[in-house]
Amino acid sequence: MDQDEKTDTQQVSTPRAGLKQHGQRLFEGAGNRARSGYSLAAARLRDRPRIEQVALVGLWTLAAGLSVFFLYLVILIPLTPGIDDLHQARTARPSIILSADGKELGSFEKGLQERIKLSQVSPHVVKALISTEDHRFYDHHGVDFKRIGGALVATLKGDSQGGSTITQQLARNMFPQEIGRARSINRKMKELITAIKIENTYSKTEILEAYLNTVPFLYNAYGIEMAARTYFGKPALKLDVLESATLVGMLKGTHYYNPVANPERSKLRRNVVLSQMARHGAFSEERYRLLSKRPLRVRFARLSDRSGKDSHFTAHVRKWLQDWADENDYDLQLDGLVVHTTLDQGLQEAAQRAVERQANTLQAVADVEWAASSMPRSTSSGMYTSMRNEVNPFSYYWASHPRELDAFVRESGDYRRAVEDGEVPAAALKRLKGDRKFMAELKSAKSRLEAGFVAMDPNTGEVRAWIGSRSFERDQFDHVVQASRQPGSTFKPIVYAAALERGISPDQTYRDSVQDIRVGPGKAWRPTDMNGSSGAMMSMRDGLVFSKNTITAQVMQEVGLSPIVSLAQGMGIRQSKLEQVPSLALGTSPVTLLEMVSTYSTIAAQGEYRKPVFVRRITDREGKLVADFVPDAPERALSQASALNLIDMLRGVVNRGTGGGVRYRFGLYGDVAGKTGTTQNNTDGWFILMHPNLVTGAWVGFNDNRVTMRSSYWGQGGHNALLLVGDFMRGAIEAGKLDPNALLPGARVAPAPRPIEEPDEEFEEGPGDLQFEEVEDPAIDQQQEPQPEPEIEVEDQEQEPPPLPEVIPPPPTGENEII
């Protein structure tokens, strides 16, 4: 190969190298041309007179600066709200919460706000606003450059002034997050660009209307209409010139010029507004002098917050919606969403009436029982309500519980603040106990009976009624989902469900006797019943019907704690932590009312768990679907056969056991099943009732569990919480909301209607307290603490069940006490 061929081959085989060399030559050429051009320009500039040199450099610098500023504006424009954002902001509406039957339950308003047309605003307001805030409003296009220049000159002279137009202020009010409030050139330019966009989109009338509807006026009032009603007790259309000037004057600083807190300061500012109005032709100088001498005459009345129509249900939905909106980039105050919930307004109203009526009755019982050392005894609530106004409620309780009273005072916020401020604890306690108003409020709060109520459809998991307390305005603590209380005997069906899953027949018998159940080295637990023990054999079915602690404890031992806990979690107790201790079987581990009603819904749904549902779907204001919350597929928590057996056992509770009150007190003859619950010292009363289409539960007690019902009769869930459920069910059936002839799963024939009379003697259920007795039996002392029993799979019916754990015979004295 000759040299030419070799060179050609190298050029072909290395094209990238050739391109690189070509690029370098172009770059070098461009650089040379630029340098030569610069040298030529510099030479020409040197040839000019000195003054021309300075002028040209100045012009070049100005052009470069303007180019950079123009580029900055181009970059900034996409970061400001667009036309769609402007339309949405002007037509913004709060999202609303609807019941299942279309009734409004609540809204997401930004404070108290009522949007009105400009024609509904007093002309004095418009004149005062334009004269004071932007007298060239009709002459500029969103930005008043003349005013900006004047403000800049005044600021340089030491008199700081603002140059923002009404449109620029509206931009800040409409888009506080996008534009911000910081004193920076970046914020000011965003505000300027947005103001120009607003002017290109809306008329001057629409801009004034939007501004007056969005400006804040303190006390949670937004917009001129709510401000007029708050400060002067009249609509915005009726505001006179003085009232208009007062409200417009607040815009310079709502807190500083607040006419309620700072009347003198507010009057001075009002007069400044009046002088501006006179200056710009609203009225004469003479009229201004007369008006400026008049007093403020504010008729302030803080309007009730519209969230007052909220309930515990809407509060719970709000919290859930806020999280959903944050995740999906929605503004609940502006986007006008329509939230369709599962609540049935008719059932909700029936629940409210039942809770109010029966809780007031039970409050009278507690007031009278604790009024004197001698306690009246009656199963009729009418006697207590008639005596209520003749006694001093709870006077005996406070006299007989001085330690609790001192503890309540020490736990109060007033006491803690006093001690933190340096007051001697003993002196603070003595002072507060001598404060009649403080003590009256404290005693009233502690002795107020509370209640929780919830109802849900077991076939869908949808919540139909929800009452978190006797009064949302007074007690916003939600006893449906926030309060964790011991469920007492309402937990027992879970124990029996675990036994049924184990293959134990409802007809298997146990001895109804007080037995010591070993719980550790040298320790025994002795569960007893309030009605005593017969010593006879009793079926597992009757153990549940009559809520026998003695039978339930033995079933728990046969099944084991681990299967019971696992089943409880699968059936609906998914938030509360269950302690694996023997007394769990009798309901000593705290849970929420919603969890318990969800658990019973699983039973009513033949063993299928459905997560509680509060919101069905969300649409926009035109009705277009935004989100559809299809319920999760049901989870099999309990076998169908076990669920049917358990439903039948719980029928017996209502027909012949501790839940019979719903029949003889309220005349409920349909196919229903349920369970009562009572805890130690009558602290908590429970009742949960299953109807084929609705599972309803109630809890009754005091917020502070150191305060309890006094008598064992009215402290029973079958005599307190049952009243709320029974009253509700009767009202729902009478209103046609529930079918009285519907059948629970497993029923063949509806029970024939028949009169049911109150029995001469009722079964009372005992609480499931966890107390231990020291046992001296050497055989027991040598035993090690038992290990948790292994969980047994439900499907494995072929395995031999483990032997019945050893039960210690009762002591020969036949004692019945709860140890």
Side-chain angles (χ1 to χ4, degrees), residues 646-720:
L646 189 57
I647 289 171
D648 193 49
M649 294 165 70
L650 291 169
R651 278 193 187 96
V653 174
V654 173
N655 292 335
R656 57 192 181 93
T658 59
V662 296
R663 295 214 186 276
Y664 68 77
R665 287 183 185 271
F666 300 98
L668 300 182
Y669 306 123
D671 187 23
V672 292
K675 187 70 188 74
T676 56
T678 308
T679 63
Q680 191 75 12
N681 298 324
N682 308 314
T683 303
D684 306 279
W686 295 72
F687 184 62
I688 304 176
L689 189 69
M690 296 184 293
H691 177 277
N693 304 120
L694 201 68
V695 176
T696 305
W699 166 88
V700 168
F702 295 86
N703 280 336
D704 194 312
N705 60 16
R706 288 168 290 186
V707 183
T708 68
M709 298 295 284
R710 187 177 181 187
S711 67
S712 60
Y713 180 87
W714 291 106
Q716 296 281 305
H719 302 142
N720 53 44

Side-chain angles (χ1 to χ4, degrees), residues 741-797:
N741 300 315
L743 300 178
L744 285 165
R748 294 189 178 91
V749 187
R754 57 186 176 85
I756 301 175
E757 297 180 356
E758 183 174 359
D760 295 331
E761 182 179 355
E762 289 191 76
F763 293 95
E764 294 185 341
E765 58 190 355
D769 192 24
L770 179 57
Q771 297 187 24
F772 303 111
E773 181 183 77
E774 296 294 335
V775 182
E776 298 180 357
D777 189 336
I780 296 177
D781 291 335
Q782 294 172 5
Q783 296 289 334
Q784 297 298 316
E785 187 166 344
Q787 298 299 314
E789 290 113 18
E791 185 173 352
I792 298 175
E793 296 293 334
V794 174
E795 294 80 2
D796 188 6
Q797 301 293 342

